[in-house]
Amino acid sequence: MALRRPAEAPLLAPAVRPGRRTLADRESVLGPLLLAPALLYVILLVGVPFFMAILLSFSSAVAGGLEFSWVGFRNFQVLLSDGQFHRALQNTLRFMILSQLLVMVLATAAAHVLDAAFVGKRLVRSLLLLPWAAPVALSSMAWVWIFDSTFSVLNWTAKKLGLLQGWWYWFGDPALATVAILTVHVWRTFPFATVVILAGMSAIPQEIKEAALMDGAGFWRRLFHVNLPMLLPVVAVAVLFGLVFTATDFSVVWLLTRGGPYNSTHVLSTLAFQRGILGASLGQGAAVAIFLLPILLVVAVLLLRVARRAEVGA
Amino acid sequence: MYAAALAFTLFAVFPFYWMLITAFKQNRDLYVGATNLQHIPWIFNEPPTLYHVRLLFLNTPYLLWLRNTAFVGALVVLITLLVAVPAGYSLARLAGRWGERLGIGIFLTYLVPPTLLFLPFARLVSWLGLQNSLWALVLVYPTFTVPFCTWLMMGFFRSVPRELEEQGLVDGYSRLAVIGKVVLPLAVPGMLTVVIFAFTLVLQEFIYALTFISQVDRMTISLGVPVALVRGDVFYWGSLMAACFLTSVPIAVVYSAFMDRFIAGLTAGAVKG
């Protein structure tokens, strides 16, 4: 409302003074001009490195040196016969799928709880968001301490409750380490999904809810026949984002297990780091990382599709 | 209902409680539970102490890391604003139909993850001679702040009523003057959101910092705390958790305060204005 003119001002604008029009007034120029820095940045520092990553995967480049020699598909051939790589690829998919399945259930439940009116709802909601909003490298350290091999509070509690006879070495056993990583992934992504689903729930027209209630539909019936179908696009958006975040996560796995024990919990990103930076074999590392691409591509396509449908439905 | 809400909240908050209680426990209190089942780790068994916090501030580079992070954060925020605000406006108002596609294109680059780009960047950084330099982070961090913030700004500019601008134009102001006098003041909340997001994203970044920075006194906070506070095999859990708590909780509070805008921007950015 900054330009509301006093009532006595002429309705028609004062004539445009000649000479005030500059180059910047020509919108065909101004538009691209304003956009150029962002476009340049994105092309130079996302686009170019992106293709560099692909090129690197076909090279025997090493860290430190700058030489570049084309080796064709050799890196990929090596990887395909590499058990560690298979394991990493499987782990990536496993963490993605299992954690998001859990997230879907937990987040839908949590959103329904939060949707009901109760005292302290705002507080609960903001507390729920902490895991998502806290820097993951730091909260992962808290989990490292929670799962600590000797001082694990979980072990203590399980023992006290009589659930545990021996001792769980969380990061010393491949199965337990996998559970630990999954826990952190779920812990970190379910709050975000909850809030997204909550936003989706408030968008369901009140009439539909009331109509279902009037027709005598019970809680579960309303959940499965009214709420969930209407929420599906929103849940899908939340879960797809969760998939991207778990697929590309590095910090959780790196800080919890460094890919151990015995390289059993590596995911693509940690293996790429180990090979490319610690092992100094950039080409190998890049080839590992490239396998993230098809995964991300599928998720991105699904995301766009679901988002479009959600829009139409809205 | 309350029980379910409580369960979810406990699950979400537990690690933060654990940071807090560890940070103020005496060592005797921290390291006994393993051998003595009678010793309850969940509570303070000995009076709380400031020992670990003092250790963190006086004997570790924690404050230096804070300063490094502030330096990188401020520059990244500045770059992001300078780049994303004009771009967002251009996409929202001047670009016409191809603006829509270009906007989605720019947003998609946000999905290209650091874990795919850190290797080429490692090479770029060593080519530029920026290893172990905070400037490497200043250069690279906008790659994830710019796409996202451009998208956010596009949404904000779309929500500014077109009529206001047209009136300005009719009044004989140039387009740039209209942007300066009408649009930008109205977009201040949007720019504030961008500042918060760019800054918190910088605070949270880990893999680029791990790849480029190896010198302890040049680390940022979310690299230094997990990597450099562990000396050899010894974890100083008290100080470590104090650092985690003091850093992550303020960030999380600020970040979640802006969460609704984040979600609105994420989902509504595509809605035609």
Side-chain angles (χ1 to χ4, degrees):
Chain A
M1 298 296 122
L3 274 193
R4 170 90 37 88
R5 283 167 300 171
E8 66 272 17
L11 201 69
L12 271 179
V16 175
R17 275 164 283 151
R20 283 203 56 191
R21 293 262 160 207
T22 59
L23 196 64
D25 274 307
R26 305 221 323 255
E27 299 191 354
S28 56
V29 177
L30 188 63
L33 202 67
L34 291 178
L35 193 55
L39 224 46
L40 270 179
Y41 208 105
V42 167
I43 292 171
L44 284 180
L45 283 159
V46 182
V48 171
F50 181 76
F51 285 104
M52 258 172 86
I54 296 174
L55 275 182
L56 276 176
S57 68
F58 289 103
S59 81
S60 61
V62 290
L66 284 180
E67 75 287 351
F68 181 94
S69 47
W70 184 266
V71 295
F73 283 95
R74 206 178 67 201
N75 286 326
F76 293 98
Q77 274 163 3
V78 172
L79 284 184
L80 288 178
S81 56
D82 179 343
Q84 242 180 64
F85 169 76
H86 284 277
R87 190 78 198 243
L89 186 61
Q90 274 172 21
N91 282 339
T92 306
L93 295 172
R94 183 178 302 145
F95 288 141
M96 275 170 77
I97 292 164
L98 286 181
S99 71
Q100 291 315 301
L101 277 178
L102 283 168
V103 163
M104 236 192 273
V105 175
L106 273 181
T108 315
H112 275 86
V113 170
L114 284 188
D115 195 42
F118 63 86
V119 190
K121 190 164 129 180
R122 289 180 65 86
L123 179 71
V124 168
R125 188 175 172 281
S126 52
L127 285 176
L128 264 188
L129 273 174
L130 282 178
W132 168 260
V136 60
L138 302 180
S139 52
S140 293
M141 287 315 284
W143 282 103
V144 172
W145 174 220
I146 289 167
F147 289 124
D148 188 90
S149 54
T150 28
F151 302 105
S152 166
V153 61
L154 298 179
N155 284 2
W156 184 90
T157 309
K159 262 196 137 103
K160 208 64 181 164
L161 294 174
L163 296 172
L164 177 62
Q165 294 306 317
W167 204 243
W168 285 327
Y169 291 99
W170 285 99
F171 301 132
D173 175 277
L176 285 178
T178 303
V179 172
I181 291 169
L182 263 177
T183 309
V184 181
H185 278 316
V186 171
W187 174 79
R188 179 166 161 69
T189 46
F190 102 88
F192 173 70
T194 305
V195 176
V196 172
I197 295 173
L198 202 55
M201 282 171 70
S202 60
I204 296 180
Q206 201 59 41
E207 304 88 70
I208 296 185
K209 289 188 201 168
E210 279 162 11
L213 211 57
M214 295 276 267
D215 290 346
F219 174 78
W220 294 107
R221 217 182 149 123
R222 272 178 314 187
L223 179 66
F224 282 101
H225 291 275
V226 182
N227 282 1
L228 284 188
M230 297 208 71
L231 281 177
L232 206 60
V234 195
V235 176
V237 169
V239 164
L240 286 171
F241 266 94
L243 285 177
V244 174
F245 286 115
T246 21
T248 62
D249 166 74
F250 172 81
S251 343
V252 172
V253 178
W254 189 253
L255 290 171
L256 256 59
T257 66
R258 300 264 135 95
Y262 333 112
N263 295 313
S264 61
T265 58
H266 266 304
V267 287
L268 293 177
S269 57
T270 56
L271 192 65
F273 187 84
Q274 179 149 309
R275 298 270 165 98
I277 302 294
L278 301 182
S281 168
L282 280 180
Q284 271 274 321
V288 174
I290 287 299
F291 279 85
L292 280 170
L293 254 187
I295 299 177
L296 291 173
L297 211 63
V298 170
V299 175
V301 168
L302 286 176
L303 195 62
L304 283 180
R305 202 172 265 189
V306 172
R308 190 156 300 159
R309 193 153 5 124
E311 233 175 85
V312 172
Chain B
M1 216 41 127
Y2 281 98
L6 191 68
F8 284 120
T9 314
L10 284 183
F11 178 49
V13 173
F14 172 60
F16 298 101
Y17 170 74
W18 206 236
M19 288 179 197
L20 184 68
I21 195 168
T22 304
F24 295 107
K25 268 190 182 185
Q26 295 186 23
N27 270 329
R28 232 178 334 161
D29 199 355
L30 274 182
Y31 300 126
V32 180
T35 45
N36 179 4
L37 266 188
Q38 300 317 311
H39 184 96
I40 304 160
W42 289 89
I43 51 164
F44 285 107
N45 299 289
E46 312 262 345
T49 169
L50 278 176
Y51 168 79
H52 302 295
V53 180
R54 220 169 349 192
L55 196 72
L56 177 72
F57 279 99
L58 300 179
N59 296 341
T60 73
Y62 183 72
L63 290 173
L64 199 58
W65 296 334
L66 276 181
R67 216 180 64 192
N68 291 341
T69 312
F71 171 78
V72 175
L75 283 171
V76 171
V77 164
L78 192 68
I79 293 173
T80 307
L81 275 181
L82 287 177
V83 171
V85 171
Y89 183 79
S90 175
L91 288 174
R93 280 289 186 269
L94 301 171
R97 204 145 27 98
W98 50 270
E100 188 101 7
R101 297 213 185 112
L102 214 53
I104 292 175
I106 287 183
F107 180 68
L108 278 186
T109 61
Y110 174 72
L111 292 179
V112 179
T115 38
L116 197 65
L117 297 180
F118 74 100
L119 288 168
F121 275 134
R123 174 152 271 221
L124 186 73
V125 162
S126 76
W127 180 65
L128 292 171
L130 290 176
Q131 302 101 317
N132 256 326
S133 161
L134 290 174
W135 292 103
L137 304 182
V138 173
L139 179 74
V140 163
Y141 282 0
T143 55
F144 53 82
T145 59
V146 164
F148 188 70
C149 292
T150 300
W151 180 262
L152 273 183
M153 284 315 297
M154 186 173 90
F156 276 113
F157 283 128
R158 280 198 178 142
S159 68
V160 174
R162 229 174 236 279
E163 296 77 49
L164 287 178
E165 281 172 70
E166 273 154 15
Q167 196 165 24
L169 287 175
V170 170
D171 284 349
Y173 288 105
S174 72
R175 175 66 85 161
L176 273 184
V178 169
I179 294 176
K181 291 198 176 118
V182 184
V183 182
L184 285 186
L186 288 174
V188 164
M191 290 194 279
L192 190 67
T193 311
V194 164
V195 169
I196 301 284
F197 272 110
F199 199 79
T200 44
L201 287 178
V202 166
L203 280 165
Q204 299 179 348
E205 205 287 324
F206 179 69
I207 186 171
Y208 288 141
L210 180 68
T211 310
F212 306 148
I213 311 282
S214 52
Q215 211 168 308
V216 170
D217 60 357
R218 304 220 175 123
M219 288 179 172
T220 53
I221 202 86
S222 46
L223 175 66
V225 171
V227 171
L229 280 187
V230 182
R231 275 154 264 179
D233 268 345
V234 185
F235 291 71
Y236 289 83
W237 283 114
S239 302
L240 193 59
M241 288 299 109
C244 286
F245 189 82
L246 292 176
T247 317
S248 66
V249 170
I251 298 172
V253 169
V254 173
Y255 189 87
S256 40
F258 280 77
M259 193 70 178
D260 291 322
R261 289 193 181 175
F262 174 86
I263 290 168
L266 212 61
T267 49
V271 174
K272 286 128 211 132

